Amino acid sequence: MRSAADPENSAEQQSDQGLRADAERNRDRILCAARRLYAAEGLDVSMASVAREAGVGKATLSRRFPTRDDLITAVFTDRMDAYAGAVAVALADPDPWHGFAAYIQAVCAMQAADRGFATVLTMSFPTAKALEKRRAEAYHGFLELIARAKATGHLREDFADQDMIILLMANAGVVAATADAAPNAWRRLVGHMLRAYSTPGTELPPLEPPPTPTALYRAMIRLNRSTSAGDVGRPVS
């Protein structure tokens, strides 16, 4: 029996440690690559593209993340935590209407900052249990936020939680279409929607100025090119 001090034993331990370190580095490279691609291009990015961006083989990617949902979960868990945390912050606001409005703005800002997360918020991932658990927590908190805001008389009685999903879908579309051409266009959309959700006389945040005609023209040209290339309106596989 070899002792722990045996040179051969020591070499085996160093080899194991080296393999673990390599595996961890590969995992970090994959996650960084996926974050970059998802943020810039949305979730319609192939696993092969992620492997190529990370500089690893497809087999290495598959060992670390066997399915697309596994990779999405690893990439967006922290963002989904922030999403759920935004509800808690809103509920802690002593002014329920202010908390509601701030929450709407915060979530839409998260979408604007990351195209991949913009899509995650409008889709369901049944096998990504960690993501779906946090989404469920945020949803139940949002229901309470709605009830409190309505009790103040500032949120319209006909506002429904489904309206938030509609807004997130609309905002995701605006973010994807305007991108760098009119990066604040989403803020104007959110401002108008808060005005639609509120009762007359409710205090509202200032409305973002509209994009310039030139900025909108650039956005329309970009959207037309993306649509022609098949990047917009294609279901995520």
Side-chain angles (χ1 to χ4, degrees):
M1 180 181 295
R2 290 194 298 267
S3 69
D6 189 294
E8 189 173 345
N9 217 11
S10 213
E12 288 176 357
Q13 290 176 351
Q14 290 175 2
S15 177
D16 288 344
Q17 290 171 355
L19 289 173
R20 285 196 295 270
D22 285 344
E24 192 60 32
R25 278 194 294 270
N26 283 338
R27 184 179 188 278
D28 290 342
R29 289 166 66 183
I30 291 167
L31 289 177
C32 288
R35 286 192 183 102
R36 286 195 300 271
L37 290 175
Y38 289 156
E41 303 176 28
L43 295 189
D44 196 7
V45 172
S46 69
M47 295 288 274
S49 295
V50 173
R52 191 162 50 248
E53 176 77 8
V56 302
K58 293 180 183 178
T60 298
L61 174 60
S62 296
R63 280 196 301 272
R64 303 304 302 177
F65 304 101
T67 70
R68 174 174 170 272
D69 282 5
D70 291 331
L71 180 58
I72 288 172
T73 297
V75 169
F76 292 109
T77 292
D78 59 341
R79 287 162 177 76
M80 192 60 82
D81 287 344
Y83 173 59
V87 178
V89 171
L91 288 170
D93 194 313
D95 181 339
W97 165 253
H98 181 270
F100 174 88
Y103 173 74
I104 296 291
Q105 292 173 308
V107 173
C108 289
M110 292 178 193
Q111 282 190 302
D114 188 327
R115 281 188 61 187
F117 192 58
T119 306
V120 166
L121 285 180
T122 61
M123 296 179 67
S124 177
F125 301 90
T127 64
K129 298 190 182 302
L131 286 186
E132 294 307 313
K133 179 182 178 183
R134 296 300 271 159
R135 190 198 305 276
E137 291 172 0
Y139 171 71
H140 291 299
F142 185 55
L143 291 180
E144 183 178 351
L145 187 61
I146 291 172
R148 291 185 185 184
K150 284 184 177 180
T152 67
H154 295 309
L155 179 62
R156 290 171 53 127
E157 282 297 325
D158 58 359
F159 179 87
D161 60 277
Q162 294 92 332
D163 292 322
M164 182 65 176
I165 303 300
I166 294 170
L167 171 59
L168 292 176
M169 289 178 173
N171 193 51
V174 169
V175 168
T178 56
D180 296 334
N184 288 324
W186 70 271
R187 296 182 185 278
R188 188 166 178 85
L189 169 68
V190 173
H192 278 304
M193 295 312 298
L194 284 175
R195 281 156 176 75
Y197 300 154
S198 63
T199 57
T202 296
E203 183 178 349
L204 292 159
L207 189 63
E208 179 76 16
T212 65
T214 300
L216 276 183
Y217 179 74
R218 287 201 304 270
M220 291 166 68
I221 292 296
R222 179 185 180 281
L223 181 60
N224 182 55
R225 289 173 179 166
S226 297
T227 303
S228 298
D231 291 337
V232 174
R234 187 170 59 213
V236 177
S237 58

